[in-house]
Amino acid sequence: MDDVLRLDAVGQARAVRTGEVSARELAEAAIAAIEAHDGELNAVVHRRFERALAEIDDLPAGAPFHGVPILLKDLGWRQSGEPYSAGSRVLDGLDEAPDGHGVVRLREAGFVLLGRTNTPEFGSTITTEPAAFGPTRNPYDPAYSAGGSSGGSAAAVAAGMVALATASDGGGSIRVPASLCGLVGLKPTRGRLSLGPSMGEGWSGFSCPGFVSRTVRDTAAALDAVSGYHPGDPYDAPALPGPLAAEAGADPGRLRIGFLTAHPRQDVPGDPDLAEAVARAAALLEGLGHDVAPGGPQAFGEPEFPGHFGAIVANNLAAQVASLGTSRGRPVEPAELEPRNAAMVAAARANSAADHILATQWVDGFRRRMASWWAAGNDLLLMPSAGAAPFPLGWIPPTDLSIAFGRTAQVVAYTSPINATGQPAISLPLHATAAGLPVGVQLVAAAGREDLLIRVAAQIEQARPFAHPAMR
């Protein structure tokens, strides 16, 4: 069974379809892998193994991922009647919300839902070390962070517990864990996946659901399974030319690609591993026939951006905490929150509604300034996935908030602007430090062009297949 677990999700689905393995045998193998390895990694915080096995006989016949085990991030991806914590001690009961549209579509696609993965409290930082559940450890080195906020999902996939796990990205929370755990992570175009029926948008449109996986084709096929507009959604992404799975292997043509290596924050020195990762990716893309040159959007790195982005996120967090207080019948006190979140809520309460609207209007202008670079004839932007080299657990401290906020801003400097613009971006595992820790690079396309990202990512993967030495 170890050989089947090493297959990607598309390969596992084929193995079930051809009778090489049964859906029950595959699920039991994944459960055994979780039980064997998660004690050290702490990636899975809620397990529903018996219920998952009981549901196998009711899986839809002929579904594309019939019998493939998957884990759900414990933030978003609502599953009615199951434990839901969002990384917090404030939420400690069963989820009373209806199944999210994404979870419904996962079931319709034939996935076996094994449990939920660790995440920082309310997903508000870039490392998964919640006080409620403890840190998730990186399979490449347990002393290191798996990233956040999809760190539990990334660690589980990198370690080989499952081939695919759900994720979400509000400031880099798919791409950074993918980078630190050596995975593929695509943040879709805003509106590609619905957050309904319980939510219309996350973080004023910054946050998008998605997946972490080991192969490009898995990411493409999984997005096909869950994408789509639902009536009442506040956004609708531009239509794709066809299924994303069909784009893996399609010729992307000769593309015009710019790349950036200088950190967007001028006070942060360049990191040699990040620069080398981009340089190697640029050389690879040039060798594949693309036109690659230094440069990117003039707006990228505008010094006003972090303040506006951070204020909007804090305002959304304060609204979430207020809603939790209303639903439980008593306010959430600052002492119930981790210090980082208590400080963000306090800062947000000092903002007015007009301040929030002005911040969103500034971002509207930023989005147009950024889009002008792609409109001028550029196809892709290449840059690091994370603004720091792989970092150990505790590097973002839970109580020294000045250091914590500064380092978080450093890590998300390459990713959060793309959340603000709503464009799609993909992180690919193309480099490693001398110690063997993964370093990803990301490619950013114009809004609606996930098809182009999948084409190029698959071209890269074919030219330089991704290795996954952390699989156990």
Side-chain angles (χ1 to χ4, degrees):
M1 289 301 298
D2 285 348
D3 289 342
V4 177
L5 284 181
R6 288 183 173 275
L7 296 174
D8 66 358
V10 171
Q12 290 179 1
R14 182 183 299 115
V16 172
R17 194 162 49 247
T18 60
E20 179 182 345
V21 64
S22 72
R24 183 171 300 276
E25 289 170 335
L26 182 56
E28 289 173 343
I31 290 168
I34 294 170
E35 291 177 332
H37 304 306
D38 194 49
E40 178 185 31
L41 299 181
N42 192 34
V44 184
V45 293
H46 297 302
R47 302 180 181 189
R48 59 183 312 272
F49 297 160
E50 291 184 6
R51 279 165 287 175
L53 292 173
E55 292 164 355
I56 286 177
D57 290 341
D58 296 325
L59 293 175
F65 287 101
H66 181 92
V68 175
I70 193 170
L71 290 164
L72 307 182
K73 180 179 179 178
D74 194 29
L75 182 66
W77 297 96
R78 307 296 290 261
Q79 192 176 8
S80 182
E82 295 290 338
Y84 184 71
S85 303
S88 176
R89 292 169 292 196
V90 178
L91 287 164
D92 58 1
L94 297 182
D95 197 346
E96 297 179 357
D99 283 349
H101 291 320
V103 169
V104 171
R105 290 192 170 184
L106 288 175
R107 292 186 185 279
E108 291 172 348
F111 283 105
V112 180
L113 313 183
L114 293 183
R116 303 186 72 84
T117 60
N118 205 5
T119 184
E121 186 177 63
F122 304 128
S124 63
T125 188
I126 207 67
T127 184
T128 301
E129 304 177 47
F133 295 100
T136 291
R137 301 181 179 277
N138 193 312
Y140 284 83
D141 186 334
Y144 276 73
S145 173
S149 61
S150 306
S153 287
V157 173
M161 300 178 196
V162 290
L164 187 72
T166 71
S168 57
D169 192 317
S173 290
I174 290 174
R175 290 159 290 162
V176 170
S179 175
L180 298 182
C181 292
L183 301 175
V184 176
L186 191 154
K187 182 196 82 68
T189 296
R190 182 176 301 164
R192 184 70 67 201
L193 281 69
S194 175
L195 292 172
S198 298
M199 295 178 62
E201 61 179 6
W203 287 7
S204 296
F206 294 166
S207 185
C208 301
F211 298 89
V212 285
S213 72
R214 296 194 292 263
T215 64
V216 173
R217 71 177 187 176
D218 267 8
T219 286
L223 287 172
D224 283 337
V226 300
S227 295
Y229 175 82
H230 284 259
D233 286 346
Y235 310 105
D236 187 9
L240 293 166
L244 285 174
E247 304 293 350
D251 184 1
R254 187 181 183 96
L255 302 178
R256 185 177 175 183
I257 303 173
F259 68 88
L260 299 174
T261 54
H263 198 279
R265 283 180 50 184
Q266 296 181 357
D267 61 328
V268 176
D271 183 278
D273 274 307
L274 305 187
E276 185 176 356
V278 172
R280 288 186 173 187
L284 175 60
L285 286 162
E286 191 169 39
L288 291 170
H290 302 295
D291 297 320
V292 184
Q298 186 174 356
F300 198 83
E302 288 183 350
E304 301 90 348
F305 174 80
H308 292 299
F309 181 87
I312 291 170
V313 171
N315 294 343
N316 277 268
L317 177 62
Q320 181 181 5
V321 169
S323 176
L324 287 174
T326 299
S327 65
R328 75 176 190 174
R330 57 185 174 86
V332 177
E333 300 297 334
E336 297 180 82
L337 302 173
E338 294 183 24
R340 170 191 70 256
N341 287 328
M344 291 174 69
V345 169
R349 288 174 177 166
N351 294 333
S352 69
D355 292 333
H356 180 76
I357 296 299
L358 288 171
T360 61
Q361 289 175 342
W362 188 92
V363 170
D364 289 341
F366 174 77
R367 183 168 56 250
R368 295 183 188 280
R369 293 191 295 277
M370 287 282 286
S372 66
W373 187 80
W374 280 267
N378 298 290
D379 296 300
L380 296 174
L381 177 63
L382 167 69
M383 54 188 177
S385 297
F391 50 88
L393 292 168
W395 184 72
I396 297 178
T399 56
D400 190 332
L401 299 185
S402 177
I403 292 176
F405 286 132
R407 287 180 174 173
T408 299
Q410 175 185 345
V411 175
V412 303
Y414 290 105
T415 50
S416 57
I418 311 307
N419 294 88
T421 64
Q423 295 169 246
I426 191 169
S427 180
L428 301 174
L430 288 178
H431 184 62
T433 68
L437 295 167
V439 176
V441 297
Q442 72 172 319
L443 290 163
V444 185
R449 293 307 310 272
E450 288 96 326
D451 59 319
L452 185 58
L453 289 180
I454 292 296
R455 289 181 186 183
V456 174
Q459 184 185 46
I460 291 171
E461 184 180 30
Q462 183 177 16
R464 188 178 294 172
F466 306 144
H468 302 288
M471 289 184 63
R472 301 178 174 211

